[in-house]
Amino acid sequence: MKIGYPCINESLDCTSSRTFRLASYTEERLIETVEQNLACLRRILEYNVQHGLLFFRLTSGLVPFASHEVNKYNWQEHFKMTFRRLGSYIRNNNMRISMHPDQFVVLNSPNEQTVKNSIAELVYQGSVLDLMGLDTTAKLQIHGGGAYGDKASALSRFSEVYHTMLPDAVKARLCVENDDRTYSLRDCLYLHDLTGMPIIFDNLHHECVNNGEPMREAVEMAAATWQPERDGILMMDYSSQALGERKGRHTQSIQEQLFHDFLIETEGLDMDIMLEIKDKEDSALKALKLAQALGRA
DNA sequence: GCGTGTCAAGACCTC
DNA sequence: GAGGTCTTGACACGC
C-alpha cells in the first residue's frame, strides 16, 4: 500500500501550478512558468521519497493553457528531457502517479464543444504521463459528468464518446471515480461494464451517495474492476466529513481514529490511498504512520 | 506589502 | 435567463 496526497506540498516554498492570465500569454511566459513548475515538481517528488509518501497526484496546472487554442507551442518537445528525467525518478523510486482533470472535463456533455475541449484536456494530461515514460498504472481520474435530467442517456453518451472519440493513449489510463451527488459506485460499475475503465473509489463520496453497499464490500467491488497487469492495484481517495459543514466537505486535518477504523475494515485488501485532506502532506504522513503500525504500508 | 476581485473551461439550483 | 454555489489556489490590480 502506498499513501499520498494531491498536487500541493505545504512544507516547501514552491508550487508546481504557477500560472498567469490568458491576457498575458506569451511563449516566453509559458516556457518560464513550465520550467519553474517542473523544477518545483522535482522538489516535491524528492520530499515525498524522503518521507515515504509514494503516491502522488500531479497538478493539472503543470503546463498552463496546455489544451487551450492559444497555446501553439511545442512544449512537449521543449521539455522532453525534463519530463523524461522526472519519469525516471518516479520509476526508480517506485512511486504511483495520478492526475485528476477538473470539473470542466465532461465527456457526456450535450455540448459538442465541451466534449472536444474535454478530450483535448485528457490528451494533454495523458501526454504528461507518456512523456515521463510511465506505464498504464499511472492514471487519469475523472467523474461521470452531468446527468441532464436523464442519467441513462448520459451514461450511454459517455460510453459512445469513450468508444468513438477517445485516443487509445487516453483510454489506457482513464478511470472513473464515484462522485458525491450524481454518479454512485453502482453507476460507475455500469460505466465499467460499458468501457472496461477501472473505478477509483472515494469513501466520502460513497457515504454521500450509495445504494446500501457496506464500505468493505464497496471497496472490493471497485478493486475488482482493476486488471493488475494493466492497471495495477486499486487507487482510492480517502477523506472524512468536515464536522458541522456541508455534507461531502473534506476535513481540514485527518481524523486519525476514523482512518484507523477504515484500515481495519479493509484489512487484507491491497490499494493505494490518496488523502484528499486540506492539510496535504501533514495528514498523509499521519496516515502513513497508522498504516505502517498495522503492517499495511 | 497587503487585500481582494477575478480567472479558460461546467453543472446544477434558486429565483 | 440571471446569478449564486460548488471548490479553490494563484494572479494581478489597486491602494
Side-chain angles (χ1 to χ4, degrees):
Chain A
M1 172 185 292
K2 293 171 185 164
I3 303 269
Y5 62 99
C7 306
I8 294 168
N9 181 301
E10 297 186 327
S11 309
L12 299 173
D13 58 359
C14 70
T15 165
S16 58
S17 55
R18 283 195 64 162
T19 184
F20 48 86
R21 294 289 173 256
L22 180 56
S24 48
Y25 181 93
T26 62
E27 240 162 52
E28 296 68 40
R29 190 89 191 257
L30 177 77
I31 292 167
E32 181 198 331
T33 307
V34 174
E35 236 160 40
Q36 291 175 346
N37 285 344
L38 295 181
C40 181
L41 176 59
R42 176 75 190 202
R43 290 181 58 201
I44 295 176
L45 293 173
E46 285 170 359
Y47 175 100
N48 292 349
V49 168
Q50 282 159 17
H51 291 81
L53 298 171
L54 297 181
F55 188 17
F56 188 64
R57 181 185 300 163
L58 307 185
T59 172
S60 313
L62 279 180
V63 182
F65 306 103
S67 66
H68 191 283
E69 58 178 16
V70 74
N71 187 344
K72 305 259 198 287
Y73 185 67
N74 191 349
W75 53 267
Q76 294 91 337
E77 183 61 31
H78 184 116
F79 291 104
K80 195 167 70 180
M81 290 313 294
T82 315
F83 279 115
R84 197 175 296 172
R85 280 192 290 268
L86 285 163
S88 303
Y89 186 76
I90 286 165
R91 285 198 313 274
N92 292 341
N93 287 285
N94 197 25
M95 302 179 87
R96 189 93 186 268
I97 296 294
S98 67
M99 293 184 83
H100 193 344
D102 61 25
Q103 72 206 80
F104 307 110
V105 171
V106 186
L107 288 183
N108 62 9
S109 172
N111 180 333
E112 217 173 292
Q113 193 57 49
T114 302
V115 175
K116 273 191 192 151
N117 295 345
S118 299
I119 293 172
E121 181 67 16
L122 288 171
V123 167
Y124 148 58
Q125 298 199 22
S127 72
V128 166
L129 302 173
D130 292 341
L131 284 164
M132 288 179 167
L134 303 180
D135 64 24
T136 56
T137 64
K139 292 301 188 187
L140 299 174
Q141 157 179 11
I142 62 170
H143 292 293
Y148 312 95
D150 181 358
K151 203 195 274 183
S153 303
L155 284 164
S156 58
R157 212 159 47 237
F158 189 112
S159 170
E160 195 188 328
V161 168
Y162 183 94
H163 288 294
T164 62
M165 296 175 73
L166 286 186
D168 288 342
V170 169
K171 285 196 272 195
R173 300 192 185 278
L174 199 64
C175 302
V176 63
E177 177 198 352
N178 59 308
D179 67 62
D180 61 353
R181 42 212 250 176
T182 310
Y183 290 95
S184 66
L185 174 64
R186 184 193 283 174
D187 295 322
C188 292
L189 284 163
Y190 180 66
L191 275 177
H192 167 73
D193 288 341
L194 294 175
T195 63
M197 273 184 303
I199 297 173
I200 293 190
F201 181 70
D202 185 306
N203 74 306
L204 181 57
H205 293 167
H206 185 68
E207 283 170 24
C208 295
V209 182
N210 61 68
N211 292 282
E213 308 89 344
M215 193 56 77
R216 183 182 173 94
E217 207 175 291
V219 173
E220 285 174 341
M221 286 193 276
T225 64
W226 292 69
Q227 291 180 30
E229 59 302 337
R230 182 193 70 178
D231 303 318
I233 60 170
L234 171 72
M235 282 182 178
M236 73 162 283
D237 287 345
Y238 176 91
S239 189
S240 54
Q241 175 68 43
L243 295 173
E245 299 269 3
R246 179 188 64 82
K247 190 173 143 198
R249 199 167 184 103
H250 294 172
T251 183
Q252 184 62 39
S253 182
I254 188 169
Q255 292 154 289
E256 296 188 50
Q257 185 61 49
L258 291 179
F259 185 69
H260 177 86
D261 295 347
F262 181 82
L263 289 179
I264 297 293
E265 194 163 10
T266 57
E267 199 168 6
L269 306 179
D270 203 6
M271 64 189 105
D272 292 331
I273 302 184
M274 170 89 39
L275 278 285
E276 276 200 329
I277 292 181
K278 294 196 192 301
D279 66 4
K280 307 289 176 183
E281 75 277 8
D282 214 44
S283 284
L285 287 168
K286 288 177 185 159
L288 178 61
K289 275 213 181 88
L290 288 166
Q292 283 170 336
L294 290 169
R296 295 285 293 277

